[in-house]
Amino acid sequence: MKHTLRCEKTLELAAAVKNQEEETLELAAAVKNQEEETLELAAAVKNQEEEEEEETLALVSCVKMIISAGSSLVQMCIVKVAQNMDVLERKVSILPVSLLKDLLPHLNIYYLDRIETAAASKGISSSVVWAGLWRDLDQTWRWRLKSALPDQDWKQRCLERLFHMVLFTQVRRRGSYLSDLSDSSILSMTVKHVRVLSLHTSTRNICRLASGDLRPILSSLETRVTSLKLLDMKSLFKHGRKYVLFILHRLLDHGSVREVVLRRNPDSSFLSWLMSRCRGPQLTVSTAPETSHADGIDSRCRAELEEPAAKRLVLDVEGNPEVLCAEVSSSSSSADRCPEGQIHALDLEVSKREIMSTVSRILPTWLCLHTLHLHSDSGLVSEQEMSVLVEALRRLFLDPGCSLTALSVSHVSGHTHLMSVLRACPTLQSLCLEICPPADTNTCRPQPSVSVTENRELRLEKLTVRSTGPMTVACFLPVLTSAPKLNSLHFTGIHLSQQFFRTLTGSNPSLKVLKLEDINLSDCHQEILQFLERSVLEELSFRDCRLLDKCAVKKDFLLPFVEALKGISSLRTLMLSQNRLATSAIEMAELFSGCRPSKITKLDLSSNFILPAELLEFAQLLETYRPVQRLTLDLRFNPLDRDPEVKGQALRKLIPYCNILTDDWDSRSTMADHISVM
């Protein structure tokens, strides 16, 4: 019995142990499952952390990209705005100043013109943008502005050039400024800004202006163009003489053209037709006695000049342009006569034969002409030819209706014609002569016994003489003495004496502009300083005058020279180009030092072999002195490319005080270094 009970207890204990083992196994399995779940959870957490870290890194990278590409995104937005200006134009004015300023270079010329007012109201000038377009259009541009000059109407120049390119040649449509614009829309916009119309060898499609579809363009030119340049009439007539004449007739006789430049005249008939526009409202022919060397105007010529313009000249077999004008003008009847224009300024290049046969013959009738520039296209004007021209001028000035005040003649063979011209034209205010002395003449001798105008004072205010050969100033001193009203004097290639500056001081107290070019002034230092002490100059130019060639110590002249210039309160322009200043250019910064700084606003130091280090020193001084008025500084053709970094430092210091004219001139590819130190 006891044995049975022990067995039962043993079995119960075994069962309990077994149950315990099963529970233990279940617990172990549960623990294992928990461990697996824990591991899975840990793995999940780890994966999440890795994903979050990757997302964080990606976000940081994205932010960095956005920051670095911020300007690009802004530019993309600006380009989009520029491309949709037809919709967004009215809202442009609400843009911040910085964005509006950045938008201007991306606009085409139509919208750039339209939003100028809105930009100006926020203090933004479009001048720099127009200057950039001008440089893009003008392939002969040789210098660039670090700051646009305020006295240049860049918009007018740019649009005028663009008109010529679209109408007469072919324009490459690069850049955004011509995007979405047709040729007709460009012409309609730009024609409003054309003041000078140039027709030359490369001019094509000129006859299109006579067509019906471009008649509004021609009508607009008639009201706006004041100066007409006919730079190759022989080539122009090849495009269709009849229609070219019609266009000229509309511009001259129905339009506002008062200035004409003529080159390569095709024939005497056209020259006569053109010059008939120089006559006054009433023809007056002097009855003064004729000289032996000039035939004057014979009875046949008088009758020809007195005939109506329409009957006087049949230009060619294709007919008179007035007839064509009546054909194409719906507002004119065949009985109506076209008006005849008046040319006030004529720049004429003709042959010596035409000077004798045509110009001198009818010049006495040019009563409405104010300015005449006469150039010979066939060599020197001889003594006889010049005498005939002077006689014609004398006859013109004898007429009370004479309006001529400015005269320029080139390729004159001798200096004596200066005296004869002034005797013939005593009321002339401006005279320019280009003298080519004979090769065998080394000096010229004045005629002291003969007064320039028989003791009469000249009204001459401006005198320019350019000599291509050896000539002394003694030839011109009598003229200076007789011209107390002279306010502008320009000499080129003339050997000066010490008496020259003394004469200016004593006889020309009102001189405002003095320009000396290609003249050796190395022996005239004291005379220059004495002259400057008493002058009222506004502009002084010593160009290629070898100022420092004989200076052992250059400061000995430059310092008193600068002090003398500072004493001229009226001086605004100083030009010292091609004087080999080099290191001495630094001294010119002293113009703006002290309690009495110069009021100069334009300083030309171009072509003076100024190196970057010297420019930096000049800039540092200017930064110290701080000129009161903004300075236009010309630095072109100096070897500033020798050290671009130093050049950049100098320019950055100058920009707050200067409008800088500089260039990308390559000094190493030229002989300028050698020439500048010869």
Side-chain angles (χ1 to χ4, degrees), residues 5 136 142 147 156 171 204 206 416 454 485 557 667 677:
L5 289 173
D136 187 67
R142 298 192 63 191
S147 303
Q156 190 274 329
V171 60
R204 299 176 182 177
I206 182 176
T416 56
E454 289 137 10
K485 297 181 180 179
F557 169 67
S667 63
V677 296

Side-chain angles (χ1 to χ4, degrees), residues 463 465 473 476 489-492 494 496 500 515-517 519:
L463 176 62
V465 180
V473 75
F476 310 106
L489 179 62
H490 186 175
F491 278 170
T492 300
I494 296 173
L496 298 185
F500 169 72
K515 297 182 179 181
L516 303 179
E517 182 176 352
I519 295 174

